[in-house]
Amino acid sequence: MKTADFYYDLPQELIAQDPLEDRSSSRLMHLDRETGEVTHGTFRDILNYLNPGDCLVINDTKVIPARLFGHKEDTGAVIELLLLKRRENDIWETLVKPGKKAKIGTKLVFGDGILKGEILDVVEEGNRLIQFHYDGIFEEILDQLGEMPLPPYITHKLKDRNRYQTVYAKHEGSAAAPTAGLHFTPELLREVEEAGVRIAHVTLHVGLGTFRPVKVEDVTQHHMHSEFYVVEEDQAELINQAKREHKRVICVGTTSCRTLESAAGEDGILQAKSGWTDIFIYPGYRFKIMDGLITNFHLPESTLLMLVSAFAGKDHIMAAYKEAVKERYRFFSFGDAMMIE
């Protein structure tokens, strides 16, 4: 299976640069994964596709303002930092630009010195381990100094940082939003519950591996970056109950899907657990839990496009994407949505 098999041509102007004023007014493409048939509507139509007893699984991770701008203490040279993972206490794995100036021992200053850092090591992919020093609470300082880490294909400035956050975001730790969830409003979620649909929460802290291109020609040779996830016992029981009752489990986003598929046993029972996952789902994968998926439109040749192809079939997905381009859907993080069932 070749990475090039997952390429499609996308006009630049279809990449959504700004969120819509009303989260739930984006368009929704419905894809029947058995027949490949597509229908068009708006995201609020999601209620028409959910049945009483279904379990909707959402990822309640919260994006941290992980982009920092500072300078080198000795030369004053400007440095841009992206926090990727907290390793221990105040040591973080980071992406530093420009990397050439970020040598071991380099001292960095942010926000007139209220936050300082020292580069301890160079690790995988050229990322840097940085030890931070400060007075007070790190999260409060980050909230004051940091910017939201928008994906590289979004060039517009975000006016309201909450728009790159789901309305149910709770547990801080992501370097990117679980974007399928951005379409939900509190009102729509209430309507979903009133329709008899159960809502289960899981947590997966989204890393920048989400945006890393697949650089190998053979898909099976690609290695995913690991991300931390949590499935609580009561939430696992909600999902397992739906499966026992032969009701559907519908994931909001590929991150919810990857969490369930990582925590499920071979018997199809979801386990309450936490840990790191580098699960890579591509065509040929047999899903253990997920019956339906709500997702955005993904980048060409990306691991996320491979995941949805594994669920709906590559031919159906590529045809649906061709249709989405023709119908001028909005693509990627702030774009429109697709429901696959």
Side-chain angles (χ1 to χ4, degrees):
M1 196 183 315
K2 299 283 186 277
T3 300
D5 295 339
F6 297 90
Y7 178 80
Y8 67 93
D9 194 32
L10 180 69
Q12 194 76 14
E13 68 269 17
L14 296 186
I15 299 174
Q17 293 295 320
D18 303 288
L20 296 177
E21 194 168 329
D22 173 9
R23 289 173 182 261
S24 62
S25 66
S26 57
R27 295 168 75 186
L28 177 70
M29 175 186 281
H30 179 270
L31 172 63
D32 183 319
R33 67 191 182 114
E34 296 300 325
T35 66
E37 182 186 354
V38 300
T39 50
H40 308 285
T42 65
F43 193 77
R44 282 186 292 272
D45 296 333
I46 205 78
L47 290 162
N48 300 333
Y49 300 115
L50 298 173
N51 304 323
D54 283 348
C55 186
L56 193 69
V57 183
I58 58 179
N59 179 9
D60 62 9
T61 187
K62 192 170 189 179
V63 185
I64 58 174
R67 180 167 272 125
L68 289 164
F69 293 91
H71 61 268
K72 288 175 65 178
E73 191 175 67
D74 54 354
T75 66
V78 173
I79 288 280
E80 179 185 344
L81 212 67
L82 197 57
L83 303 179
L84 299 178
K85 275 180 207 174
R86 190 196 289 266
R87 287 291 190 94
E88 53 181 288
N89 299 325
D90 294 315
I91 297 175
W92 283 76
E93 184 176 336
T94 67
L95 184 65
V96 181
K97 292 182 187 174
K100 287 180 183 174
K101 295 181 180 178
K103 295 183 168 56
I104 293 172
T106 300
K107 295 187 175 174
L108 308 173
V109 180
F110 306 91
D112 297 327
I114 64 170
L115 181 66
K116 293 187 176 181
E118 181 179 352
I119 297 174
L120 302 181
D121 201 2
V122 180
V123 292
E124 187 187 1
E125 300 269 346
N127 295 342
R128 267 59 174 177
L129 289 188
I130 294 184
Q131 167 91 59
F132 287 104
H133 304 280
Y134 54 90
D135 291 321
I137 298 169
F138 184 76
E139 285 73 18
E140 288 180 0
I141 292 169
L142 197 58
D143 205 45
Q144 183 182 337
L145 299 180
E147 293 184 9
M148 281 308 215
L150 293 179
Y153 49 73
I154 293 177
T155 57
H156 290 191
K157 187 96 171 167
L158 187 62
K159 292 175 187 155
D160 176 4
R161 64 165 63 174
N162 285 325
R163 295 310 309 275
Y164 193 58
Q165 206 81 270
T166 63
V167 296
Y168 45 77
K170 185 176 180 184
H171 301 291
E172 293 189 331
S174 275
T179 54
L182 296 178
H183 304 283
F184 284 96
T185 63
E187 296 75 23
L188 184 55
L189 285 167
R190 196 160 52 245
E191 288 180 65
V192 166
E193 286 192 293
E194 286 168 358
V197 177
R198 294 167 279 202
I199 298 178
H201 296 241
V202 297
T203 307
L204 181 137
H205 293 318
V206 189
L208 274 201
T210 296
F211 303 115
R212 288 194 192 278
V214 178
K215 293 178 180 173
V216 292
E217 188 180 336
D218 178 355
V219 166
T220 61
Q221 299 306 305
H222 177 70
H223 176 65
M224 294 284 283
H225 285 71
S226 60
E227 297 166 311
F228 187 75
Y229 73 92
V230 180
V231 180
E232 300 287 358
E233 198 158 331
D234 58 337
Q235 303 304 301
E237 175 51 29
L238 255 184
I239 294 162
N240 286 329
Q241 183 185 347
K243 297 301 279 188
R244 283 197 304 271
E245 295 172 357
H246 304 290
K247 303 295 186 182
R248 298 180 307 164
V249 172
I250 296 166
C251 291
V252 177
T254 56
T255 60
S256 298
C257 164
R258 292 179 65 243
T259 303
L260 297 195
E261 296 298 317
S262 297
E266 289 304 320
D267 55 4
I269 295 173
L270 186 65
Q271 298 159 9
K273 62 195 293 192
S274 64
W276 295 88
T277 180
D278 60 0
I279 188 171
F280 179 23
I281 297 174
Y282 53 87
Y285 180 85
R286 295 188 62 159
F287 289 85
K288 301 191 280 282
I289 301 275
M290 186 172 77
D291 303 301
L293 177 65
I294 297 166
T295 186
N296 279 20
F297 290 90
H298 305 296
L299 279 76
E301 300 184 334
S302 64
T303 60
L304 304 183
L305 185 56
M306 293 168 191
L307 185 153
V308 296
S309 296
F311 187 59
K314 185 175 80 69
D315 291 345
H316 287 340
I317 285 292
M318 299 312 281
Y321 270 55
K322 191 174 179 181
E323 173 87 355
V325 170
K326 180 172 148 250
E327 295 294 327
R328 302 195 67 76
Y329 273 67
R330 298 162 70 251
F331 278 67
F332 306 161
S333 294
F334 287 142
D336 295 317
M338 172 189 268
M339 179 166 183
I340 308 169
E341 60 172 336

